[in-house]
Amino acid sequence: MIDDGRALFQQIAENVSDSIIDGSLAEETRAPSTNELAAFYRINPATAAKGVNMLVDKGVLYKRRGVGMFVSAGARDLLRRERQESFADHFIEPLLNEADRLGLTPDDLVTLIQDRAPQHSSTGDAR
């Protein structure tokens, strides 16, 4: 997890986001504290706090005074929409551009995807 060249706080925010998206961290439940994250990943608490604050700024997490950080209602949908938009920008647009250069139609792309889809599970576990 903590080694792909991106800033640690971004990786922390993404890991918490992943837990929200996959449902292991449900809406309106307590999120890990900055100290818990720092201890788990063996990083500076300020770095963990920066990642948590990114999610607070997005409205994904909120603080209950004296209790801790919690996952906001609607956080999962918000994160899924954000990830879908990022997916489209980073994968679909380049795919469409390359398909255009190759003279492939949208129907050709659908056929290519359908031909390869059985190799992958619907949950995204197969790679």
Side-chain angles (χ1 to χ4, degrees):
M1 157 13 237
I2 305 285
D3 64 1
D4 73 358
R6 290 178 302 130
L8 293 175
F9 72 90
Q10 291 173 327
Q11 294 177 60
I12 296 295
E14 186 170 312
N15 281 356
V16 172
S17 295
D18 288 346
S19 295
I20 294 168
I21 289 170
D22 72 18
S24 60
L25 192 54
E27 295 177 0
E28 298 301 335
T29 62
R30 187 180 166 283
S33 71
T34 56
N35 288 334
E36 290 168 336
L37 291 168
F40 182 80
Y41 293 111
R42 297 180 181 190
I43 60 172
N44 185 309
T47 301
K50 191 169 181 182
V52 167
N53 287 334
M54 281 181 59
L55 298 175
V56 169
D57 292 345
K58 281 186 188 181
V60 171
L61 298 178
Y62 67 94
K63 183 175 185 166
R64 286 189 190 162
R65 190 172 193 92
V67 181
M69 299 301 275
F70 286 78
V71 180
S72 300
R76 185 170 190 240
D77 288 339
L78 173 74
L79 290 169
R80 286 174 56 103
R81 281 192 308 272
E82 182 181 88
R83 293 263 180 105
Q84 288 170 357
E85 188 63 33
S86 177
F87 178 82
D89 290 346
H90 291 98
F91 296 100
I92 303 300
E93 284 299 322
L95 171 76
L96 292 172
N97 290 335
E98 182 66 9
D100 197 37
R101 284 190 286 276
L102 296 173
L104 296 170
T105 67
D107 287 338
D108 295 333
L109 288 176
V110 169
T111 299
L112 286 170
I113 292 168
Q114 288 174 334
D115 288 348
R116 284 160 178 80
Q119 301 170 14
H120 300 273
S121 71
S122 62
T123 61
D125 291 338
R127 292 178 188 228

